Amino acid sequence: MRDIFNQELQQLGSDLESMASQVATAIERAAESLRHSDIVIAEQVIDADERINDLQRDIDDLCVMLLARQQPVAGDLRNVISALRMAQTLERQGDLARHVAAIARGRYPEPPVPEPILGLILQMADLAVQAGQNVAQLVSSRDLELAAAIQAGDAELDALHRRSFQMILDPAHDMSRQQVIDAVLMGRFLERFGDHSTSVARRVAYLVSGASMPGTHDAQDADALH
Amino acid sequence: MRDIFNQELQQLGSDLESMASQVATAIERAAESLRHSDIVIAEQVIDADERINDLQRDIDDLCVMLLARQQPVAGDLRNVISALRMAQTLERQGDLARHVAAIARGRYPEPPVPEPILGLILQMADLAVQAGQNVAQLVSSRDLELAAAIQAGDAELDALHRRSFQMILDPAHDMSRQQVIDAVLMGRFLERFGDHSTSVARRVAYLVSGASMPGTHDAQDADALH
């Protein structure tokens, strides 16, 4: 019984790792599609999201099955519940990467926003990519230094998000309304991607240390407006 | 043991009802603060969100405790897992109501966007209010007709969201960039509020019927751009 349980917990861990790595790839490609106005890569992100959703479904089923059959307690229970939630967070991150790619695709062959807004959005995208990679590594290594790096990166992303509003409001930057819409949405998607990365980082830190409850908000979104 | 379990399940149900009813009040007030540029009501929404967050924390703790001590199976397990997720969804809805109120507060004493965009946003807000009320009623009554009404209302909300982009893009409507930003964000927040209501409706339908798994996406967000 315990053997099967351990096997299933391992399966759960490897499914989560695979999900996190697919999300990292999705945001990398979304950033690339934006940087190079590459519609082929944008389509790849959009198509690949279905597989991320499928993985969440698998993880959900496995968690519910584990809870029902193995009735885990203490650390094992904490592991299973955290997996349920991390899978949900990763699924949202896949959606957000897809939304960014959809904007790149929608405006092809032009970049969706002009410079210097584009440069700022790309900086945000790079931070999101870094967050995605760190999360993927954290899920497999559980290295708490990565968790701290993810939180620091998210603070930077938030600061850039605030700056994006200032830039959009600056009349010196010529923008159409469509470009304003796209800039606002991309900024919001990337900022939320960062929030979710921090949420995963907090959960892993909680699992490893067992010491402090993570914020129960799955992805703190205290100040969407700046 | 079973007695305590039943008591705890009842507690869980009444905490969820209370949370759903507080979220309904939050979105009602957010809509009112927007309609009447009422900063006092906007502040109430913002302050009250902390209580919604606290309730989620309580529900989380209760669920984990129930899983650890009572090791529920079958329908009871399904109930507890659904409660965990519904609480998470309701917490997000509280955030979204707060974001809408924060825009109303930020632009006070002016309405954040001019007519006719304001009228459209208020229509969206009314649908979100209806959704919030229906969800609160559904969580206590588990009446599946309400679940269907919530899904229908969400389709309407999505249609209005699509129209909001058309209106914003129409050069006949004079808008500052700040107003474009606010309109885009409010549209997005209200649309997401609707998505989350549908997600709760699906979960309750799943609990009652037991027949079909709900979409695993907690709040489908297939097409953010329209």
Side-chain angles (χ1 to χ4, degrees), chain A residues 42-81:
Chain A
E43 303 264 9
Q44 283 172 1
V45 178
I46 295 163
D47 293 344
D49 192 40
E50 218 24 77
R51 286 197 294 282
I52 295 175
N53 298 342
D54 289 346
L55 260 176
Q56 192 208 350
R57 213 163 294 133
D58 292 348
I59 290 173
D60 267 24
D61 291 348
L62 187 52
C63 287
V64 172
M65 206 250 319
L66 271 165
L67 289 170
R69 287 207 330 225
Q70 307 279 0
Q71 313 205 317
V73 292
D76 290 335
L77 174 60
R78 209 159 59 180
N79 248 312
V80 175
I81 303 230

Side-chain angles (χ1 to χ4, degrees), chain B residues 8 74 128 134 137 148 168 183 189 210:
Chain B
E8 287 169 340
N134 282 342
Q137 224 185 309
I168 294 168
F189 298 149

